[in-house]
Amino acid sequence: NALNFVSDCATADLAEQQSSLAQQLTMEAELHHALIKGEFFLEYQPLFDFGRSGQRMAAVEALIRWRRGNGELVSPEVFIPIAEHSRLILQIGRWVMEQACRDLARLQRGGFPDLQVSINLAAPDFVNARLPSELLALTEACGIAPQHVCLEMTEGMVMKHPDKAVPVMTLLRQMGFKISLDDFGMGHSSLSRLKELPVSYLKIDRSFIRGIPHDRGDKAIIRTILDLGRHMGVPVIAEGVETDAQFGFLRQFGCTLIQGFVLGRPKGLQDLLGAAPLSGAG
Ligand code: C2E
Ligand code: MG
Ligand code: MG
Ligand code: MG
């Protein structure tokens, strides 16, 4: 009968919740070990600038990878959300920042003197009031300028805690760091809030790029974001660009900052150093 059905469902739900909680705790423990055992590494995806001075690699985005002891590669889309449930995300975030700043110093010495690095932050990072001074100390220790470090924060996360995020963002900008609003278009920004955010770049979410050249709605949204950025004086980055048609559309409507598999996949530091125009210098 109906009541039995309801209680069966509730039991099934509870069992499911318990097993997913157990999985989460297991993975948290594994992530903790991964940090200690050095199972994380970074890959860097190039971002190209097609502005007036011709095509150049302006930045690389640091993307974390986890290679488990058994060789399996785990996507950050799987383990970052789990790490975000605990304080582990702060330790992972700190590891990424240290590694990325050290690697940028090597890249700058190794033939890319003006290169910037983009670092993805998780929500607990940028509501951390100590983040700006810690990052400044880190860049000083590594011998790189804050102007060469861009922090990517998703629009969704910033809009969820604007009262905590905005003061941290403001301080970071005053110190010279850049800030990019990642996955833009997915995070329900109110326009009045957006105009107050101290951001250096808007980064259009990959899901809108996917619709080019067929989806009229996606194309309209992309053109609107490009116009918005132009009128606000905030450069717009397109990510996840996979095809020549997508690339051509973006260039046609004035997007000069482009990232995606069509231009370059994430790669290791050694690969990048090997491709340096002045390689051998580092
Ligand atoms: P994101 O910051 O939006 O990064 C872009 C993702 O799109 C990356 O996936 C990148 O490899 C992928 N991508 C780039 N170009 C293309 C393309 O042309 N086509 C397709 N299909 N994909 C493309 P990845 O490395 O798996 O990272 C996924 C997400 O995990 C990132 O999204 C970011 O939110 C998070 N993440 C990655 N590294 C870190 C990190 O160090 N810290 C934190 N907190 N989050 C990170
Ligand atoms: Mg990003
Ligand atoms: Mg993104
Ligand atoms: Mg993303």
Side-chain angles (χ1 to χ4, degrees):
N1 65 27
L3 260 184
N4 270 335
F5 177 73
V6 167
S7 91
D8 283 353
C9 289
T11 318
D13 253 21
L14 189 64
E16 219 168 82
Q17 276 173 25
Q18 280 171 342
S19 90
S20 84
L21 185 65
Q23 274 173 13
Q24 156 132 7
L25 291 175
T26 309
M27 191 171 275
E28 271 182 38
E30 288 170 342
L31 285 168
H32 187 75
H33 278 109
L35 259 176
I36 296 167
K37 287 187 283 188
E39 292 179 353
F40 293 117
F41 63 101
L42 294 181
E43 285 192 323
Y44 292 96
Q45 186 179 25
L47 167 83
F48 288 91
D49 185 344
F50 294 85
R52 255 166 271 135
S53 44
Q55 171 183 342
R56 74 188 176 96
M57 184 168 79
V60 288
E61 178 176 1
L63 295 162
I64 193 170
R65 287 6 187 168
W66 177 20
R67 168 103 53 203
R68 304 174 80 136
N70 64 7
E72 184 196 349
L73 202 59
V74 189
S75 161
E77 276 171 356
V78 172
F79 68 83
I80 291 288
I82 289 173
E84 277 177 335
H85 281 285
S86 76
R87 296 187 55 80
L88 259 178
I89 191 65
L90 292 171
Q91 286 171 265
I92 295 176
R94 168 149 282 279
W95 179 84
V96 171
M97 288 178 228
E98 287 176 4
Q99 189 68 43
C101 288
R102 274 204 298 268
D103 287 350
L104 181 68
R106 288 195 61 188
L107 285 162
Q108 290 189 340
R109 284 196 308 263
F112 301 99
D114 298 321
L115 193 71
Q116 298 184 21
V117 71
S118 286
I119 300 174
N120 290 286
L121 296 188
D125 295 317
F126 63 82
V127 301
N128 169 10
R130 287 196 314 269
L131 177 78
S133 58
E134 286 177 6
L135 260 172
L136 192 62
L138 180 59
T139 52
E140 272 167 17
C142 293
I144 59 177
Q147 285 75 10
H148 287 139
V149 177
C150 179
L151 304 161
E152 298 201 3
M153 314 182 175
T154 70
E155 182 199 14
M157 294 192 287
V158 171
M159 292 301 166
K160 206 169 159 196
H161 309 279
D163 43 323
K164 283 190 179 162
V166 172
V168 174
M169 294 164 83
T170 306
L171 204 53
L172 286 167
R173 288 302 306 280
Q174 284 167 356
M175 292 172 169
F177 293 101
K178 303 205 161 100
I179 294 176
S180 153
L181 209 53
D182 204 356
D183 300 352
F184 185 73
M186 300 300 283
H188 323 286
S189 277
S190 73
L191 292 173
S192 59
R193 186 60 92 170
L194 181 65
K195 76 171 192 218
E196 284 158 10
L197 287 184
V199 295
S200 326
Y201 305 99
L202 301 176
K203 197 165 185 180
I204 307 177
D205 191 69
R206 181 145 61 90
S207 61
F208 301 113
I209 309 295
R210 216 175 287 141
I212 308 174
H214 304 293
D215 191 299
R216 287 180 57 189
D218 284 345
K219 290 198 285 186
I221 289 168
I222 289 168
R223 291 180 60 180
T224 304
I225 296 175
L226 290 170
D227 281 342
L228 181 68
R230 202 170 294 128
H231 294 306
M232 288 176 48
V234 179
V236 175
I237 301 170
E239 71 173 343
V241 181
E242 292 184 347
T243 68
D244 290 339
Q246 292 167 348
F247 179 78
F249 176 89
L250 289 159
R251 296 291 297 117
Q252 182 187 348
F253 290 100
C255 184
T256 56
L257 299 171
I258 300 181
Q259 194 180 23
F261 291 172
V262 75
L263 297 173
R265 290 188 175 251
K267 38 184 169 266
L269 178 71
Q270 292 308 326
D271 276 3
L272 276 175
L273 282 168
L278 315 171
S279 91

